[in-house]
Amino acid sequence: MRENHFDRRAVLASTTALAAAALMPGGASAQDTARGTAAPQSDALPARGEFVVRGAHVLTMDPNLGDLATGDVHVRDGAIAAVGVAVGAPGAEVIDGKGMICMPGFVDTHWHHWTTLLRPVMQADDPKRTYFPVTFALGLHYAPEDSYRSVRLGLAQALAAGVTTTHNWAHNVRSPAHADAEVRAMRESGLRGRFAYGPALGMANDQMMDFADIARLKKEIGSDPMLTLGINSRNVDGNLGGTRGAIDPAMAKKEWSAARELGLPITLHTSGSGAIKLLNEAGLLGPDLQLVHPLNTDAADWAALAKHDVRYSVSPLGEAGRSGEMQFPEIMQAGVKVSLSIDNVTAERCDCFACMRMLQTINRHRTGGKFKLTTRKLVEMATIDGAEDLGFADRTGSLTPGKRADLILVRTDEPHMGDIGDPYDALVQLAQPSDVDTVVVDGRILRRNGAFTALDYGKLLADAAQSVAALKTKANWS
Ligand SMILES: [Zn+2]
């Protein structure tokens, strides 16, 4: 894996002025430091520089701007200043984009970052060591520091794969300190994201989530352009209640009303039939609701979702291994907006390219291509559609001047890419995470030449290993 090539960091720092500048500490803006806890406490984030990407194949994902076969993107003060051919940017550092696709960073819309560090305990062919038993048995013993380390590790993996915005679906918030730990990890990572505050694993189904603390955190986050707050709800249908809890519509009404009073969006796992009907009957569907895993629903469900402007997040890599049909074609055809998610990197991989390709494959397999799903639409689902789902479309998801600069450069010169032809086709059919050369979030260059510019990935891994060892001891895991 390229991120393990620590020697490349040193080479990079000594040969590239921009990277050298990026490695300098003190990158937090006055706005960051004024927020107190927003200031990074470990790896200092690189400064927001001024730079221009020149000569890239630019996919803006903005229908008004279109694409440029050879174009420039000028970034200043964390924002996209200009996109065009031969953009004038005197004094700006030049990043050579030749042979690269420049596009918005990927937007993930559902990811349980707290489970990341449990990866070494997993084994796909041993039923006792798959995702649910492992995350439940060890998750019950998490200290806040374990949550922090896991989220840091997950976000590092996200960055390396070109994900610049994530929906941190925290369904093991064991105390206010655990919530704070996850939020701190998000802030220190430099990614943009929503923190979906959830229950603690193993919590009694008749116990309400801690809305006093959720209100406290909402106040603490305030109007941060990098970080927003929502809640994640326990399942309402009862079908998957064994390890994650299941609540009845009355409890859902109580919790969701409390969230809505705070103006917080809601997200919910909904594999299986029944939940959408229950929610619809209880009057709980709305545009502030995101559902996850569209499997085993029916036409009445799709109509209700479209009517109430509910969003769906599909996690293609995991869902393809579940029983039942992946129904995103029907759901999209019904007018429901669908975005992409990684879900977890405990059982799956962080690979948005593979997610797009899987959707294309499943669509062909299930509909024989009757549902038209273009490669451009797949890239939209992985970028601007995700930004819309999370309420971030005003600042990310497309390379639109005035939006914040969340972009990636994807190399096209590796042998597996060949002569790429159409760039959307190449992104879906050929590209892989190791092709992501450069990752910029909010104008900060967090990855360059396929390496972290400031983050010490080796330390994150070592810390995670320490946590896993302690968790295994606490849980008597052999
Ligand atoms: Zn999930």
Side-chain angles (χ1 to χ4, degrees):
M1 287 169 70
R2 183 175 292 118
E3 55 264 36
N4 287 334
H5 293 185
F6 300 114
D7 54 332
R8 292 186 59 169
R9 283 181 54 206
V11 174
L12 194 66
S14 61
T15 56
T16 313
L18 182 66
L23 282 164
M24 282 161 56
S29 69
Q31 184 195 11
D32 288 337
T33 45
R35 277 199 302 273
T37 56
Q41 292 171 22
S42 51
D43 306 295
L45 290 172
R48 294 185 180 89
E50 181 179 359
F51 59 91
V52 59
V53 176
R54 292 216 185 273
H57 196 134
V58 181
L59 310 181
T60 68
M61 305 317 291
D62 179 330
N64 297 319
L65 294 175
D67 302 332
L68 298 164
T70 308
D72 304 342
V73 178
H74 180 200
V75 172
R76 192 176 52 216
D77 299 330
I80 295 168
V83 177
V85 177
V87 166
E93 194 72 37
V94 174
I95 294 179
D96 186 4
K98 210 163 135 249
M100 311 239 207
I101 293 169
C102 181
M103 59 181 282
F106 290 116
V107 178
D108 151 77
T109 57
H110 144 253
W111 187 336
H112 311 290
H113 287 283
W114 73 267
T115 67
T116 305
L117 56 66
L118 298 176
R119 171 67 214 164
V121 189
M122 300 283 294
Q123 196 167 322
D125 56 6
D126 179 350
K128 291 196 220 68
R129 296 177 59 154
T130 51
Y131 185 71
F132 284 100
V134 166
T135 55
F136 187 72
L138 299 185
L140 290 172
H141 300 279
Y142 265 52
E145 188 66 8
D146 302 320
S147 304
Y148 169 81
R149 288 168 169 176
S150 195
V151 175
R152 284 299 313 259
L153 191 65
L155 295 176
Q157 295 188 15
L159 271 183
V163 174
T164 55
T165 299
T166 189
H167 186 192
N168 181 14
W169 228 98
H171 57 354
N172 190 22
V173 178
R174 309 197 65 73
S175 74
H178 288 77
D180 285 342
E182 293 214 18
V183 164
R184 182 163 67 90
M186 291 178 76
R187 283 177 161 155
E188 291 181 9
S189 74
L191 270 84
R192 200 178 301 284
R194 181 196 291 173
F195 177 67
Y197 198 122
L201 211 57
M203 198 169 106
N205 290 336
D206 60 359
Q207 188 186 341
M208 200 164 159
M209 282 168 55
D210 186 352
F211 278 92
D213 192 56
I214 293 169
R216 189 256 326 157
L217 191 55
K218 181 182 186 262
K219 208 166 154 194
E220 199 271 312
I221 289 175
S223 57
D224 186 337
M226 298 299 294
L227 180 70
T228 59
L229 184 67
I231 69 147
N232 72 74
S233 171
R234 285 165 286 180
N235 293 332
V236 183
D237 59 1
N239 286 347
L240 291 175
T243 57
R244 301 281 192 245
I247 55 177
D248 59 20
M251 177 57 104
K253 230 173 191 167
K254 263 166 73 177
E255 291 196 332
W256 294 22
S257 301
R260 283 170 168 152
E261 270 169 38
L262 290 167
L264 301 178
I266 299 157
T267 178
L268 174 78
H269 287 132
T270 46
S271 284
S273 58
I276 295 169
K277 281 177 190 65
L278 286 176
L279 296 171
N280 196 21
E281 282 160 19
L284 288 171
L285 300 179
D288 57 354
L289 175 62
Q290 179 211 55
L291 303 179
V292 180
H293 302 317
L295 294 154
N296 306 330
T297 52
D298 62 28
D301 294 336
W302 312 330
L305 298 182
K307 184 179 163 200
H308 294 283
D309 198 16
V310 177
R311 317 299 161 92
Y312 237 123
S313 175
V314 56
S315 312
L317 302 186
E319 281 170 28
R322 293 189 180 195
S323 57
E325 290 184 329
M326 289 175 68
Q327 298 168 314
F328 58 92
E330 293 87 342
I331 285 168
M332 290 170 76
Q333 225 154 10
V336 178
K337 290 172 186 154
V338 175
S339 61
L340 282 191
S341 54
I342 295 298
D343 194 337
N344 66 80
V345 287
T346 325
E348 310 301 335
R349 59 166 99 178
C350 179
D351 186 343
C352 294
F353 305 104
C355 285
M356 295 190 289
R357 191 157 56 252
M358 179 66 83
L359 285 190
Q360 186 192 52
T361 304
I362 298 281
N363 182 48
R364 282 199 203 119
H365 178 69
R366 286 208 46 239
T367 75
K370 276 186 216 135
F371 176 66
K372 195 169 163 53
L373 187 60
T374 64
T375 51
R376 184 188 160 93
K377 182 60 193 172
L378 285 162
V379 178
E380 283 175 7
M381 290 167 74
T383 56
I384 186 66
D385 292 356
E388 277 172 9
D389 181 318
L390 296 181
F392 282 131
D394 61 341
R395 69 204 84 160
T396 193
S398 67
L399 303 183
T400 306
K403 279 195 184 183
R404 304 305 291 170
D406 296 354
L407 61 87
I408 59 174
L409 293 177
V410 182
R411 277 204 309 268
T412 64
D413 59 357
E414 296 289 341
H416 65 267
M417 292 283 251
D419 187 352
I420 67 162
D422 178 80
Y424 292 101
D425 201 74
L427 288 171
V428 174
Q429 309 293 353
L430 307 173
Q432 53 193 39
S434 58
D435 297 323
V436 178
D437 177 275
T438 298
V439 181
V440 176
V441 189
D442 212 53
R444 301 183 198 274
I445 301 175
L446 300 181
R447 299 260 304 171
R448 197 164 181 207
N449 292 352
F452 290 109
T453 54
L455 182 147
D456 186 346
Y457 185 70
K459 181 172 186 325
L460 295 191
L461 266 185
D463 289 348
Q466 249 183 25
S467 273
V468 173
L471 287 166
K472 282 166 81 172
T473 304
K474 283 190 215 168
N476 288 322
W477 184 274
S478 52

